Every structure is written in structure tokens, then in C-alpha cells.
Amino acid sequence: MTMNPGIAAKLAATADHVRPGTCPGCNAEVLLARAGRVAALDVVADPTPVDVTAEILARLAGRLTWYLVTSPLGQQRIVWRHPIHAGPGPPPHPVIADHECPPHPVQERLL
């Protein structure tokens, strides 16, 4: 039995596995997922893992950070990284941050 393509697309859009995409604001490559199972959040994150300093700066800017968890079968999921998880030693999974579009250049004013 095959599933209706429309239903399959809706299920895929609500799944917590990672889907590549592009940001509609700046056309940057992003990772999309619905993180969480009960009160899920739609996540749009940068695909490049961040280091400790970049994570701190992202948190100070109000952005959430996430674990990019890869299963033994290669399926990737985005899981919320609580500030308590940031402890000594390397994190168990790559850390990524919410996407933020770069600022648009401001044109100079004419005198």
C-alpha cells in the first residue's frame, strides 16, 4: 500500500529529521527541522557547526543553539542544547545555532 503524496509531504514537514533548505530572506543554505515532540519548534539553523566562542555570542544575541545528532543509520536530527549542557570538555555532537540573516548594507545618504 502506498501513501498519498500530499500526506507524505505533510508528515515529512512535521518530522524532527533535518531537511536542507534555503533562507527566504538571504538565500543562505540552512537546515530545517521541527525539534521536539510535544511542543515542537520549527528550527532554521546554520549548517556550519560553531565553537564555544561562537555559541556564547549566539546565545548573547538571543539565538538558540542545537545539537546536530546523527544516528547510526545516518539520519540527522536537531535537538535543543540547554545552557546547562555547555560544560567542560567537547560536546557529544556538533553544535549549530539558529540562523540569522546578515545585515543588509545601508546606502549612504545623499547630501
Side-chain angles (χ1 to χ4, degrees), residues 51-99:
D51 61 5
V52 175
T53 306
E55 181 180 12
I56 292 169
L57 292 173
R59 288 270 183 181
L60 290 173
R63 296 164 54 200
L64 296 176
T65 56
W66 308 89
Y67 283 125
L68 183 59
V69 179
T70 305
S71 75
L73 298 175
Q75 185 74 16
Q76 290 186 317
R77 295 177 50 231
I78 290 179
V79 179
W80 183 53
R81 178 173 160 89
H82 192 280
I84 292 174
H85 295 153
H93 306 285
V95 177
I96 57 176
D98 278 344
H99 174 70

Side-chain angles (χ1 to χ4, degrees), residues 9-73:
K10 286 182 182 180
L11 286 173
T14 61
D16 65 350
H17 62 271
V18 174
R19 301 177 315 278
T22 56
C23 173
C26 66
N27 291 325
E29 292 182 18
V30 294
L31 299 177
L32 307 169
R34 179 159 285 179
R37 300 208 186 266
V38 176
L41 294 174
D42 288 324
V43 178
V44 179
D46 290 325
T48 307
V50 295
D51 61 5
V52 175
T53 306
E55 181 180 12
I56 292 169
L57 292 173
R59 288 270 183 181
L60 290 173
R63 296 164 54 200
L64 296 176
T65 56
W66 308 89
Y67 283 125
L68 183 59
V69 179
T70 305
S71 75
L73 298 175

